[in-house]
Amino acid sequence: MKKLLLLLLIMGFSAYAQKEMPSVTLKSVNNKTHNVKNDFSEKDKLYVFSFWATWCAPCINELDAIKEQYAAWSKELNMEVVAVSVDDARTQKRVKPLLNGKNWPYTILLDTNQDLKRALSIVNVPYTIVVKNKKVVYVHNGYSQGAEKELYNKLKEL
């Protein structure tokens, strides 16, 4: 039993350890191609990859909450939010209509084949990854009201 607990503890820490961002190419809602590793690689800039879907209310609430603070955060911190939709072929047609009403200031990428989601071993959305210098430096799963403050505090530490 002790060995099992130790193994789980080690696996937990290794999953959180800095890992390279995978080289996956996605399209934006404007049909522009982006390689998530190379195109979001400005030195010492924080990239907040927020994985979401149109059918996920907590995801939309999180992105709305960040939007309220985004201008202030961007002035204070060298950061950018990249919202990655994991909507599949069936629900992808809902992305643009939802975005039209949101006016989010983010880069929106479409992971319709879920290549990036799979490469990062993401199971559920909302899922947030902070990348600095091509390395994953923070991971958070789920959203509850006020969690954006925790994200902001973490960004300030990085």
Side-chain angles (χ1 to χ4, degrees):
M1 184 66 179
K2 286 181 182 178
K3 285 182 182 178
L4 178 62
L5 283 173
L6 183 62
L7 179 64
L8 289 173
L9 189 63
I10 290 169
M11 285 173 51
F13 281 120
S14 67
Y16 188 77
Q18 289 189 354
K19 118 182 179 182
E20 277 271 326
M21 192 65 170
S23 182
V24 174
T25 301
L26 302 177
K27 289 202 183 229
S28 71
V29 287
N30 306 325
N31 214 26
K32 188 177 176 211
T33 307
H34 293 274
N35 180 290
V36 296
K37 181 177 183 177
N38 300 325
D39 293 347
F40 303 99
S41 60
E42 184 181 313
K43 185 163 175 45
D44 293 331
K45 184 170 186 174
L46 297 170
Y47 293 95
V48 179
F49 286 86
S50 181
F51 290 82
W52 66 286
T54 55
W55 45 262
C56 172
C59 301
I60 293 165
N61 292 341
E62 177 177 45
L63 288 166
D64 284 343
I66 292 171
K67 177 187 168 192
E68 298 295 315
Q69 310 298 324
Y70 193 59
W73 291 7
S74 297
K75 280 182 186 158
E76 182 184 346
L77 305 167
N78 185 18
M79 55 95 59
E80 178 182 341
V81 172
V82 180
V84 182
S85 166
V86 295
D87 283 277
D88 60 18
R90 289 176 296 145
T91 59
Q92 182 188 6
K93 61 187 172 284
R94 298 183 200 154
V95 173
K96 280 189 181 179
L98 183 131
L99 293 174
N100 288 338
K102 292 295 181 186
N103 199 22
W104 287 337
Y106 318 128
T107 300
I108 310 288
L109 299 180
L110 306 172
D111 192 14
T112 38
N113 293 328
Q114 303 192 347
D115 295 329
L116 183 57
K117 183 181 171 195
R118 242 188 329 279
L120 291 167
S121 303
I122 297 171
V123 178
N124 297 320
V125 290
Y127 197 90
T128 305
I129 292 176
V130 178
V131 176
K132 183 176 182 180
N133 300 326
K134 299 184 183 185
K135 299 233 187 287
V136 175
V137 294
Y138 177 72
V139 173
H140 182 80
N141 194 5
Y143 175 75
S144 57
Q145 190 173 357
E148 67 279 0
K149 291 178 186 92
E150 178 186 326
L151 174 62
Y152 171 68
N153 290 331
K154 191 65 184 175
L155 292 173
K156 286 195 306 186
E157 289 175 18
L158 300 168

